[in-house]
Amino acid sequence: MKHDLKILPSEITSETNYHNRRQFIRNAGLAIGGSAVAAALPLSSSASTRELETVPGPYSTGEEPNSWEDVTTYNNFYEFGTGKEDPYRNSGDFVTRPWSVKVSGECGKPGDYDYEDIVAPHTLEDRVYRHRCVEAWSMVVPWVGFPLADLLRRFEPNSDAKFVRFKTLHDPKRMPGQKRPVLRWPYVEGLTIAEAMHPLTLMVVGVYGKELPNQNGAPLRLIVPWKYGFKGIKSIVKIEFTRRQPKTSWEISIPGEYGFYANVNPQVDHPRWSQASERRIGAGVFAPKQPTLMFNGYQDEVAHLYSGLDLRKNY
Ligand code: MTE
């Protein structure tokens, strides 16, 4: 698959990005070490996650990232509760090593792969992406990861691999939110093979230059920055190459509200609210909402994936 990608001016300043990253880490250290913040928030195990060796990656937005505190205390991870601070408060004891991923379906190299096998061959990149939740809030997040395409190619998908299905761990003892039927567990997501192979699609292992905190989906989660945040499935244990379009958790739960594609689209409202604008977390309660960008601002890179598709029907 060949992609015609444009290099944004912000990507050329990769060294600056790298230095910015060091600054983020210092800020992160301040945020978790500062006594005022420490007094206000309980310390979670994620505060001590390991620093990762990374290089500046392409496609970073020039926007100022949200703080470590925003990124790690305002989360959606229903396996640890449905409140925004629940994942931060309830996931501290979640043990993510050893971890393995079962790869199956239409590929030449199915099998069980340890976390280390999955990650070790890849160079970890810093990529600052816009992160847009379907609930009409957004953040800018400095993820650490590597292109999902580079991982999937290692499993040698065959010509019948039209879609990729991902599953989260299902273990109600370790993920207490799974004791309640909020969703049909485990959480399932899917992409077309073209979406999965697109160089913006990231297999994420960290944030702010550190290993992924549990509440953000440790140890492996997906980020597809032109889609609503729910496509970014967390704590992945299964990857399957399929011939047919998989049913995803939110589609199964509320099919009238959530479709398979879930591309960020200001012109298609959620049935219960508008998607035309978004509230940037951390901007303050009086900050005006900002207009939502088509494909979350990644239109030049991804619009060609949907040529000929009616994006109103294929929401
Ligand atoms: N993955 C799992 N397994 N369970 C979840 O509840 N929530 C999704 C997505 N991935 C979710 C998940 C939603 S709705 C969003 S907006 C993003 O994770 C939030 O990612 P963040 O908490 O790192 O910002």
Side-chain angles (χ1 to χ4, degrees):
M1 164 128 334
K2 194 173 167 295
H3 294 286
D4 221 355
L5 292 162
K6 291 197 181 74
I7 304 283
L8 303 169
S10 59
E11 288 158 25
I12 300 164
T13 57
S14 51
E15 209 187 349
T16 320
N17 283 349
Y18 177 78
H19 289 301
N20 283 344
R21 183 173 89 68
R22 310 316 292 179
Q23 187 60 44
F24 307 153
I25 292 166
R26 274 199 293 281
N27 291 345
L30 280 178
I32 54 178
S35 55
V37 177
L41 296 163
L43 268 186
S44 89
S45 63
S46 60
S48 59
T49 57
R50 201 165 53 90
E51 234 182 90
L52 297 168
E53 206 172 301
T54 63
V55 301
Y59 306 114
S60 284
T61 160
E63 289 154 281
E64 181 72 17
N66 275 81
S67 67
W68 166 270
E69 191 194 322
D70 289 341
V71 173
T72 62
T73 64
Y74 193 91
N75 299 102
N76 277 335
F77 198 173
Y78 282 12
E79 286 83 342
F80 294 101
T82 52
K84 297 293 176 220
E85 285 193 10
D86 286 350
Y88 168 73
R89 293 183 193 281
N90 302 335
S91 68
D93 296 334
F94 181 53
V95 176
T96 60
R97 295 293 192 289
W99 191 270
S100 68
V101 178
K102 185 180 271 308
V103 176
S104 63
E106 302 295 339
C107 69
K109 293 258 172 74
D112 291 300
Y113 294 83
D114 285 342
Y115 172 85
E116 288 72 20
D117 299 338
I118 296 264
V119 178
H122 301 277
T123 302
L124 301 185
E125 299 173 5
D126 293 301
R127 294 193 182 192
V128 183
Y129 279 174
R130 294 183 200 94
H131 185 47
R132 173 62 159 77
C133 188
V134 76
E135 295 158 333
W137 55 262
S138 65
M139 290 198 210
V140 176
V141 183
W143 300 115
V144 175
F146 52 89
L148 177 68
D150 293 350
L151 176 65
L152 297 187
R153 275 191 205 103
R154 288 169 54 202
F155 308 134
E156 299 175 4
N158 63 38
S159 58
D160 286 327
K162 305 283 192 241
F163 296 88
V164 189
R165 169 161 55 193
F166 303 86
K167 282 188 188 168
T168 294
L169 176 71
H170 189 198
D171 187 343
K173 285 202 189 81
R174 294 163 68 194
M175 295 181 140
Q178 290 177 339
K179 289 177 185 154
R180 296 171 52 215
V182 191
L183 288 172
R184 190 192 294 173
W185 308 111
Y187 197 99
V188 179
E189 258 308 336
L191 296 172
T192 67
I193 193 80
E195 293 172 335
M197 298 308 252
H198 191 282
L200 274 167
T201 305
L202 211 57
M203 185 50 87
V204 169
V205 298
V207 69
Y208 262 108
K210 287 166 168 271
E211 264 185 3
L212 212 49
N214 289 340
Q215 59 270 38
N216 292 94
L220 279 174
R221 63 90 57 88
L222 199 67
I223 282 291
V224 193
W226 69 94
K227 293 180 180 283
Y228 290 116
F230 66 86
K231 300 299 281 186
I233 181 171
K234 297 175 165 182
S235 304
I236 295 168
V237 292
K238 285 190 182 151
I239 298 177
E240 186 185 359
F241 296 95
T242 65
R243 292 168 186 237
R244 290 169 182 277
Q245 183 174 307
K247 278 271 181 223
T248 69
S249 287
W250 285 103
E251 249 186 310
I252 293 168
S253 252
I254 323 180
E257 298 190 5
Y258 303 107
F260 177 80
Y261 284 94
N263 292 318
V264 173
N265 188 344
Q267 289 143 27
V268 177
D269 287 345
H270 185 280
R272 287 181 284 145
W273 56 79
S274 160
Q275 293 292 13
S277 64
E278 63 198 52
R279 183 172 60 90
R280 183 58 55 79
I281 297 298
V285 277
F286 299 113
K289 284 189 155 193
Q290 57 191 72
T292 293
L293 302 173
M294 188 68 199
F295 295 113
N296 204 21
Y298 299 95
Q299 179 153 16
D300 288 352
E301 287 83 7
V302 302
H304 69 276
L305 295 177
Y306 308 102
S307 55
L309 204 67
D310 181 342
L311 295 178
R312 287 192 173 272
K313 286 197 187 124
N314 298 281
Y315 56 91

